Structures are given as structure tokens and as C-alpha cells.
Amino acid sequence: MAQRTPARTPHDWWRSAVIYQVYVRSFADGDGDGTGDLAGVRARLPYLAELGVDALWFSPWYQSPMKDGGYDVADYRAIDPAFGTLAEAEKVIAEARELGIRTIVDIVPNHVSDQHPWWRAALTGGPERELFHFRAGRGDHGELPPNDWKSEFGGPAWTRLPDGDWYLHLFAPEQPDLNWAHPAVRQEHEDILRFWFERGVAGVRIDSAALLAKDPRLPDFVEGRDPHPYVDRDELHDVYRSWRGVADEYGGVFVGEVWLPDSERFARYLRPDELHTAFNFSFLACPWDARRLRTSIDETLAEHAPVGAPATWVLCNHDVTRTVTRYGRADTGFDFATKVFGTPTDLALGTRRARAAALLSLALPGAVYVYQGEELGLPEADIPRDRIEDPMHFRSGGTDPGRDGCRVPLPWVAEAPYAGFGSREEPWLPQPADWPAYAAGLQAEDPGSMLSLYRQAIRIRRTTPGFGDGALTWLPSADGVLAFARTEGLVCMVNLSETPAELHRDSRLLLSSGPLDDHGRLPQDTAAWLLI
Ligand code: TEU
């Protein structure tokens, strides 16, 4: 196993970390029933240590009817039986920590599952009704929803109950929204934070972090009117200040899922007494274009600087099109609204760019997220329509392919059944026929593979000064070439132009995402790390 050198002081590990997202259901299947589980995670911890990541972020592993892949939580203090037990989760946390890897759990405060005890009690008319948003409908007989809000998954954000009342759900109907104006909702979430910090987790990812607070009048949405009735409301900051107090007791850190176009509003969540970090979705959504990437990087650094928070760099996650696929298309940006079936894709091109993007993001100042399978260069899979599970697909009326294409169970061993994901039952989502070619075992033996690139890059990032948190200085470069210096003589170059780029004369090549040309120049869609 690779030697692990602690590169930073323990308290600020998160400012420069490489954090690996585990979607348990699709990571590794320990008991062979077709669903990934904690036994599978434990068996693959050496793989994650070898990859060199600093922390694991687990998408929700709690008890859930899985109407939204676990983002519909029935009990925050229990592990879903398909994944394992609480005792096993504690083992994962402890065993990972022994390998120098911290654990981040995912909290979903905006809503609960319709199997949550609060919701069940609310349905029987108990005082728990106050914990949700119930309203009478509009129209003569209350037959119209209380307002015009749309679900993030499509369709109305309201569903009517047999008793005639409507309830609010910004996502699926099986995910009723909590009423964050109620003190019991706040108290419960602080207790949940403590529950997991007590079990040794180092951090918490906050799902849909900007959506919790609602205008108590629940007015119709009016384009451009400030404040928005449910996005990014000022009341939220008080909630997160209070959470920060809890985290500080344990030395825990937060990463917020904050999708906001306004960078000044975004940065408010990162003030020193609020969240430590938030996902950088503008970088994730940015097309493969030198000028736009540079602008995205500059804006990111500029918005983080005044609040002193480190940036994060994210290329994909369990909600978005896989990187090698996105970069292999005519439109290389990401937008939920434009997803359709059958978009032409050049995977060789996308893979070349994804390799360059990996070196780019790992060289930028701050923390980097890697979504499981990204290190294997997995493409977005086409899921046969009759096997799609994602509610986003169904609520779009079947036009949106949904998010299952990036959630396909991982290939581990080329020759094994189901590419080594599990041994007995077929995986919960079908694996494409060419999945074995992406198997981790195969890639580990191939120095030119995506996995080998990630392993080398993360090892170099960990052992060479200059990476992670700190300053970035742009260097003069030709059109279509990104070139920047970090400290300690470290330089990153990415060539997005057709013209090969000269490397700096007195430099030593640390790593490149592809071969240099015969003249030692950097070809199109290739990145290099240099020491000057
Ligand atoms: O996502 C929140 C979110 O707003 C988007 O990622 C969402 O998929 C998109 O906006 C749809 O328009 C988080 C989770 O990452 C996602 O998997 C969950 O489905 C969602 O919350 C609900 O918990």
C-alpha cells in the first residue's frame, strides 16, 4: 500500500483535501444481492487508500424506501438494511480513519421520506402536521394547489391528500418538505449532527442547502422578485450559524450543496461562522473552453477570497452527466434542462479532455471532489427505459433520461460476473456490455489508464509542495492555453487549442494527461504539471 505522508496540519485538512464521493448502492456489493453495501465499501477501503483520497463523502446511507436513491430518509439514525447496520457504519468510519481517510455523511434537511415517523404522524392529524407545509387548496373546492411552485423534478410542488389538504414537496411527492420555521425541526437536525459527529465523522454534506426556508405566506413565484419564496432566503444563515456551533464542538466541517447563480449570495454561506465549503457548480457546468474556464476559475477565487473559504472543484456527481460523456459532446457544459436521450458523443475525445480536466482541477487552489467511477473514466450509461428508477425521468413525462446513467454499479474485475460488482444477483441497474473494459483491476495494471492517471496525480499532489490551498498566478500564454503557477515553482498548463503549446524551457515535467508531441510540445486537450 502507498506510503501516506501527512501533508498538512490536521485541523485544516479540508482546505486542500481530495474527497471521494461514494454512492453506496452502486459502489461494491459485498453480499451479492445486486445492491452495493457497507461490506462492499469495507472490502474496497484498500483501493481508496491506494487512490490516495483524504476523505469519503457517503451519499445518504440511512434507512430509506429509495424513492430518490436514499435522498428520501425515513430514519437518520439507522442504516438502510440493504446497506448494513449502524455498527457496520461505525466500522467503516473507524477502518477508513486507520487508513488516514476521513468520513463525511450526507444530511438532507429540506425534506424527509413519506415513511418518516413525523410524516406518518402528520397524516393521522397529529401536532406533527406543524412540522410540514399543509395548506388548503385554491379554487371553489380547493381543487387547485395553494400556489404555483414547481417541483425540481417537474410537475407541481404540491400533492393533495384524501382529507382535502395539500402538502408541499420541492422534490418527489414521497419527499414532503419540512417546515424550518418550527423549532423542533431545527432541534432535531442539530441532534442528528451530534449523533454522527459522536460516531467519528469529520464532516457533513448538506443537501439542497439553499432551499430549506420558505416564505411563510407561500406566495406565487414571481420572476425576478426578491427575495425568492424558497431559494436562498436570509433566514437560512441563522440556521447554519447555529449548525456551525455544533460542528465546532467536534472539529467537524460542512460542505453545502448550494446551487446559486449569484456569486455574492453564494459566498454568504461561506462566511467564517457558517459553512466551511460549498460545491462549485459553476465550474462543473462550465463548457470545455479556455476563456470560459479561466473566467470560471477567476470568479470562483474572487468570490471565495473575501470570506476566506477555500474553493472546491467538482467535475461531476450522482446528479449530472458523467464527465467523459459531457466533454465528448457538442455542448460540453451541463444543464439539467437540456438533457435528452440519444445525444451524439465522442468518448475518445471526451476521455482525453476529462484526463486534462482532472489535472486542471487537482492543480487549482482548494479541495477537489471525485465521484466514484470518475477515476475509471466511466461514461454515462444508456439505461433501458424499463429499468430507469430516477423520479426525475418519470416526472418529466419521460423526456428527461434522468440521473441513473451516472449511477451504474462499478466494474471491479473484468472477468468476473457483473464485472466484479457483486457475485450472485444482477445489479440493481444494468451495466453496459463494455463495462468490464473499465474494470478497476484491469486499469490498475495499465499505466496509461484513467485510474493510473488519478493515482499518480493524487500521489504527486500529496507529496509535492505547492498544491491545494494557496495562491494562483496566471502566466502569459497563447490563445486557448491555460497556464498558471502555484507556489514552489509548480506550474499547470492545459492546451485547449489546436496549436501545440511549448512547455516552459527550464522546467521538469511532473505529469501529463497524455503524450507530448515529437517536439516535446503539449498537444490539444492535454494538461501538464511542471516544476520550474
Ligand atoms: O439535489 C438537489 C438539486 O437541487 C439538484 O441536484 C437536483 O437534482 C436538480 O436541481 C433537479 O432540478 C440533491 C441531491 O443531490 C439529489 O440527488 C436529490 O435528488 C435532491 O437533492 C433531493 O434530495
Side-chain angles (χ1 to χ4, degrees), residues 13 26 72 77 86 104 110 141 175 190 257 282 339 347 437 445 448 478 481 496 516:
W13 64 273
S26 303
D72 47 326
R77 297 173 180 81
L86 183 59
I104 296 174
N110 182 68
H141 310 284
Q175 295 166 297
E190 293 186 11
E257 191 205 15
S282 40
K339 282 184 76 180
L347 278 185
E445 306 299 315
V481 177
L496 290 90
L516 303 182

Side-chain angles (χ1 to χ4, degrees), residues 238-483:
D238 185 47
V239 171
Y240 293 134
R241 276 191 204 103
S242 185
W243 285 30
R244 177 62 178 255
V246 177
D248 283 348
E249 288 173 37
Y250 298 91
V253 300
F254 292 120
V255 54
E257 191 205 15
V258 183
W259 295 83
L260 285 184
D262 181 328
S263 62
E264 190 275 326
R265 298 286 310 184
F266 172 85
R268 289 186 191 198
Y269 291 84
L270 302 176
R271 288 177 288 196
D273 58 347
E274 297 191 37
L275 309 183
H276 304 73
T277 55
F279 293 120
N280 181 355
F281 291 117
S282 40
F283 183 70
L284 181 154
C286 186
W288 186 246
D289 172 271
R291 201 165 305 156
R292 295 189 60 178
L293 282 167
R294 180 167 169 162
T295 304
S296 172
I297 293 164
D298 280 339
E299 284 178 0
T300 297
L301 298 176
E303 76 198 17
H304 285 76
V307 286
T312 65
W313 307 99
V314 192
L315 294 172
C316 68
N317 63 31
H318 66 295
D319 290 333
V320 307
T321 309
R322 283 227 180 245
T323 319
V324 301
T325 301
R326 171 163 65 92
Y327 284 150
R329 293 177 166 176
D331 175 2
T332 52
F334 178 78
D335 185 351
F336 283 105
T338 58
K339 282 184 76 180
V340 287
F341 284 96
T343 310
T345 307
D346 177 345
L347 278 185
L349 176 66
T351 302
R352 202 156 61 239
R353 290 171 171 173
R355 292 174 65 91
L359 293 201
L360 169 63
S361 50
L362 285 163
L364 289 168
V368 178
Y369 282 82
V370 179
Y371 171 48
Q372 68 179 38
E374 191 177 354
E375 82 282 16
L376 302 177
L378 293 185
E380 185 82 2
D382 287 324
I383 310 294
R385 285 188 196 238
D386 62 342
R387 298 288 302 272
I388 295 181
E389 297 214 359
D390 184 12
M392 221 168 167
H393 167 70
F394 299 103
R395 290 184 64 86
S396 73
T399 54
D400 185 319
R403 301 164 295 176
D404 290 336
C406 66
R407 300 173 176 179
V408 175
L410 295 193
W412 292 98
V413 185
E415 308 78 31
Y418 310 121
F421 172 69
S423 47
R424 278 183 299 116
E425 306 274 338
E426 203 203 337
W428 71 280
L429 278 177
Q431 296 167 313
D434 64 350
W435 231 225
Y438 292 96
L442 213 58
Q443 294 202 35
E445 306 299 315
D446 172 6
S449 69
M450 187 71 97
L451 178 60
S452 296
L453 179 73
Y454 266 91
R455 281 185 176 172
Q456 283 181 74
I458 295 172
R459 183 176 46 75
I460 292 173
R461 189 183 189 273
R462 179 180 281 277
T463 51
T464 313
F467 285 98
D469 200 20
L472 170 151
T473 315
W474 291 106
L475 302 174
S477 64
D479 236 21
V481 177
L482 299 172

Side-chain angles (χ1 to χ4, degrees), residues 68 71 111 152-153 205 207-208 257 318-319 392 403:
D68 182 21
Y71 284 89
H111 43 265
E152 297 285 322
F153 292 161
R205 178 233 187 218
D207 187 73
S208 302
E257 191 205 15
H318 66 295
D319 290 333
M392 221 168 167
R403 301 164 295 176

